[in-house]
Amino acid sequence: MSINTDPQIPGVPDAAWIEKLANELFSALPDETPKPVLSPHLEDHPRMEKMLNLIVPGFSKAPAAPEGFQLSDPQTSLADPHFADGKVPPSATGVGVSPAGAVRSYTPSPQDIKPPVTAPAHPFEVNESVFKPYQFDHRQEIELKHILAAISNFEKLPQIPANAFHGADPAYYFLQNTPQPITQSPGVSGFNVDLIRQDFPVFNERVNGKPLIWLDNAATTQKPRQVIDRVSYFYEHENSNIHRAAHELAARATDAYEGAREKVRQFLNARSVNEIVFVRGTTEAINLVAKTWGDQNLVAGDEIILSHLEHHANIVPWKQLADKKGLKIRVIPVDNDGQVILAEYASLLSHRTKLVSFTQVSNALGTITPARQMIEMAHAAGAKVLLDGAQSVSHLRSDVTGLNCDWFVFSGHKVFGPTGIGVLYGKEDLLNATQPWQGGGNMIVDVTFEHIQYHKAPSRFEAGTGNIADAVGLGAAIDYVSKIGIDAINQYEHYLLEYASSRMQVIPGLRLIGTAKEKASVLSFVFEGFRTEEVGSALNREGIAVRSGHHCAQPILRRFGQETTVRPSLAFYNTTSEIDVLVDTLYRLRRGRN
Ligand code: PMP
């Protein structure tokens, strides 16, 4: 349950009010100096247990930490570094000693955590009149009211259930930092957004005093603790250059790096690890193909087909190549919903087409392209296909063998992994038939001043020391996603997207850009009477991160008569209550303008 921090909404409890209530309570107790409540750990307040025992004999607190663990010290580990009195705890500034150095912090196990307050069975049951996150009874508020009532009128006190504190939000009992989801994933067993969110430390952040709501997932995704820890572990226990030394750490680092390559292979359903090249990201992968295969195989008069949906990363390298070699670029148009027009695509294909390069999911509109069919059509014309998976890997199952694309590219940071690492998948024969791009160490079998013999793929495309630790981190991200299950993710996000679309499209003056039948994650829009930066700033004031701008996809935005849009984009850790905050903020913005 989120505590509403906006005192403007009538009848809605806000954080300051509950804090005031708690302070009143403690001041009312006789014979002790009142101690102001500034900690989220209300149950840890020295007076709390004493008082609860007075009122409800035998009352017990939240589950004790297992041996060897200790509940975080509220004075030093507040999740909000600017909490209450504006003091920044030493660990949050990066210069102090983290309490975690002395004792491991305790996160209650899933059994300790009660599921969120009753949710509707399906998000579509949610509508403004019957269901708002802040219309739930706040457990904290009810308990405090009971206790206050007990002080003034002891007889009338209803029993507080003995387990009232069990199942409390594990880390921040009193003021929660993260909005709780309204819903689990309907129809997806084992998918629990509440638990998933606890893996992402960044969701303890507050922005402008509000809980962070991260709706900028198309730009980059947040990282789970498992990824952060894996990268740290690499540097603490395995750090070495790879492949080239006969010592223990070189073996550990090589195993970790090559292990990550195998994880990527499985994730993409590639046939061999030799088909997986680590690069810096999607942009580098596309440039690599353009500057190797493209440069080596295309000649004047050849044609490259791109879709109108493409990110600049899938336009600029081909345009540069076309200008250099006299190639022609042809563009598949889209309809008014942002869907590629297959009939037009068919008419562009000819014996001159040597390459079709397109995105599986549009970063600006969210359109899912019919990739399998488009690939088949390209192959029938004798063209090779590069599929840009930057926006699809975190939402859809990737199956390069099933899709039969010649290259598939993605960035680690879009799939909950680190920045600076990405993947070029290429069919093995094709990679081995392509001459390397960058030269240097690691990619050669033998070098003389007269002759150089290159490795086969993937090493031939991995010159120099790569981003070893982040490749390992990407492996951990893939493990994480695979554990949740990409199909469960897909299904949950589908509900989120439909929920958000249905609420947003009825906001007066709001126009969704990109309304394809098959869509993922993205909700681009323009808002009549507002510049997109204005909307972005207004949302930021509420702690909501969205992208406003051209999203590096100017051609497709101009197709819709826009230079910029506001672009909320979803991931599996988002919730319908976060979407409610977005929608409510947009309504408030609208009301302020009318
Ligand atoms: N293609 C698409 C569809 C994208 O969304 C992006 C990133 N926004 C890219 C390519 C480029 O990715 P990167 O910046 O990680 O190289």
Side-chain angles (χ1 to χ4, degrees):
M1 179 85 36
S2 63
I3 290 173
N4 179 47
T5 48
D6 185 348
Q8 314 256 308
I9 304 175
V12 177
D14 66 78
W17 183 79
I18 293 181
E19 187 176 288
K20 186 170 157 285
L21 208 58
N23 285 326
E24 258 180 67
L25 161 68
F26 293 126
S27 319
L29 291 177
D31 304 330
E32 279 187 61
T33 315
K35 181 177 174 192
V37 172
L38 294 174
S39 161
H41 300 269
L42 179 60
E43 76 274 32
D44 285 343
H45 193 285
R47 291 170 157 210
M48 190 56 154
E49 196 171 5
K50 193 169 149 191
M51 183 183 57
L52 289 170
N53 268 300
L54 188 76
I55 298 166
V56 184
F59 191 94
S60 67
K61 289 202 311 178
E67 217 178 310
F69 289 77
Q70 177 172 305
L71 287 162
S72 315
D73 176 355
Q75 299 310 312
T76 52
S77 64
L78 300 177
D80 175 9
H82 307 290
F83 195 84
D85 57 358
K87 283 197 191 117
V88 179
S91 59
T93 62
V95 293
V97 178
S98 165
V103 285
R104 287 180 288 163
S105 64
Y106 169 51
T107 305
S109 71
Q111 301 90 272
D112 295 332
I113 300 160
K114 214 163 53 176
V117 181
T118 319
H122 189 286
F124 300 125
E125 287 174 26
V126 174
N127 77 46
E128 249 193 302
S129 60
V130 298
F131 196 88
K132 281 211 167 194
Y134 44 75
Q135 284 172 344
F136 286 129
D137 288 332
H138 293 282
R139 180 173 44 73
Q140 299 94 328
E141 189 192 331
I142 291 167
E143 285 157 7
L144 283 168
K145 276 185 179 158
H146 284 187
I147 294 163
L148 280 173
I151 290 166
S152 56
N153 190 355
F154 207 80
E155 275 76 25
K156 285 189 199 154
L157 178 74
Q159 275 292 103
I160 298 174
N163 64 352
F165 281 151
H166 288 282
D169 177 85
Y172 318 108
Y173 165 73
F174 183 48
L175 289 181
Q176 289 173 310
N177 279 338
T178 47
Q180 298 294 296
I182 293 176
T183 179
Q184 309 275 305
S185 180
V188 183
S189 63
F191 185 98
N192 185 331
V193 179
D194 256 343
L195 292 179
I196 286 169
R197 290 177 69 87
Q198 290 173 24
D199 287 334
F200 291 79
V202 79
F203 293 137
N204 295 324
E205 286 302 304
R206 294 175 85 89
V207 172
N208 293 321
K210 309 285 167 64
L212 169 68
I213 295 180
W214 185 257
L215 296 176
D216 198 12
N217 294 291
T220 200
T221 53
Q222 297 300 344
K223 318 306 170 202
R225 169 67 64 205
Q226 288 82 343
V227 169
I228 299 165
D229 287 351
R230 185 64 190 89
V231 174
S232 299
Y233 185 90
F234 177 85
Y235 283 120
E236 285 169 10
H237 301 285
E238 300 164 328
N239 181 46
S240 164
N241 214 322
I242 50 171
H243 296 150
R244 279 170 284 190
H247 57 69
E248 170 65 21
L249 261 58
R252 287 185 199 172
T254 305
D255 285 352
Y257 184 74
E258 293 304 331
R261 201 190 301 277
E262 167 59 20
K263 286 172 193 203
V264 174
R265 184 201 69 73
Q266 283 180 26
F267 185 62
L268 298 185
N269 192 30
R271 289 195 172 87
S272 161
V273 283
N274 297 335
E275 298 180 318
I276 308 299
V277 180
F278 283 123
V279 291
R280 204 158 53 84
T282 307
T283 303
E284 189 171 80
I286 298 174
N287 275 278
L288 193 158
V289 177
K291 287 170 172 68
T292 57
W293 179 87
D295 200 39
Q296 294 154 21
N297 292 283
L298 303 186
V299 295
D302 285 347
E303 294 183 358
I304 295 174
I305 296 182
L306 308 174
S307 90
H308 210 147
L309 296 167
E310 297 316 308
H311 187 279
H312 296 167
N314 201 20
I315 300 174
V316 179
W318 303 119
K319 176 74 176 104
Q320 289 173 330
L321 188 67
D323 290 348
K324 180 176 167 192
K325 307 202 83 170
L327 314 174
K328 189 164 175 67
I329 290 191
R330 293 179 162 268
V331 180
I332 312 167
V334 299
D335 64 16
N336 290 339
D337 290 315
Q339 305 171 121
V340 292
I341 304 173
L342 285 175
E344 298 274 353
Y345 170 48
S347 71
L348 293 177
L349 286 163
S350 77
H351 67 279
R352 288 184 298 276
T353 312
K354 293 294 169 339
L355 173 75
V356 179
S357 189
F358 68 98
T359 192
Q360 195 171 12
V361 172
S362 153
N363 73 312
L365 309 187
T367 308
I368 301 175
T369 55
R372 192 187 297 265
Q373 194 178 353
M374 290 174 70
I375 291 165
E376 255 176 47
M377 289 165 74
H379 284 164
K384 299 246 178 286
V385 182
L386 184 148
L387 189 58
D388 177 350
Q391 292 296 336
S392 59
V393 276
S394 62
H395 307 295
L396 311 177
R397 181 172 289 281
S398 304
D399 179 0
V400 292
T401 303
L403 286 167
N404 197 23
C405 49
D406 297 284
W407 301 277
F408 182 90
V409 297
F410 75 92
S411 304
H413 71 99
K414 307 268 193 196
V415 62
F416 317 101
T419 51
I421 187 74
V423 169
L424 165 67
Y425 156 86
K427 286 181 177 165
E428 193 167 357
D429 290 352
L430 180 58
L431 290 180
N432 284 332
T434 304
Q435 292 304 299
W437 174 26
Q438 296 177 331
N442 206 36
M443 47 85 75
I444 47 79
V445 177
D446 193 71
V447 176
T448 67
F449 287 107
E450 289 72 39
H451 178 74
I452 295 169
Q453 188 189 352
Y454 300 118
H455 274 304
K456 289 190 163 183
S459 300
R460 65 167 46 206
F461 298 109
E462 293 184 2
T465 301
N467 191 349
I468 304 164
D470 290 323
V472 176
L474 174 58
I478 286 173
D479 281 345
Y480 187 82
V481 168
S482 305
K483 206 163 153 214
I484 296 174
I486 193 78
D487 295 332
I489 288 171
N490 183 264
Q491 200 172 340
Y492 176 68
E493 288 181 353
H494 181 75
Y495 281 117
L496 277 186
L497 186 69
E498 298 237 317
Y499 177 71
S501 306
S502 65
R503 292 214 62 199
M504 287 170 69
Q505 71 197 3
V506 295
I507 299 175
L510 187 145
R511 179 185 162 210
L512 285 172
I513 307 287
T515 46
K517 215 157 148 259
E518 298 292 330
K519 258 187 85 164
S521 168
V522 171
L523 294 141
S524 249
F525 69 90
V526 287
F527 207 22
E528 197 182 356
F530 295 93
R531 284 178 294 111
T532 51
E533 315 89 87
E534 271 182 279
V535 180
S537 307
L539 294 175
N540 182 53
R541 282 196 291 279
E542 299 302 314
I544 304 169
V546 299
R547 188 53 52 122
S548 50
H550 59 51
H551 322 307
C552 298
Q554 287 177 310
I556 191 59
L557 289 195
R558 288 180 181 149
R559 157 69 178 77
F560 286 86
Q562 308 297 332
E563 283 298 315
T564 59
T565 65
V566 186
R567 186 194 64 180
S569 50
L570 306 167
F572 60 75
Y573 41 56
N574 291 124
T575 67
T576 48
S577 56
E578 289 182 321
I579 292 164
D580 288 338
V581 178
L582 169 76
V583 169
D584 289 352
T585 307
L586 293 171
Y587 271 115
R588 266 210 303 277
L589 207 56
R590 177 88 283 153
R591 283 198 294 273
R593 189 54 60 93
N594 286 337

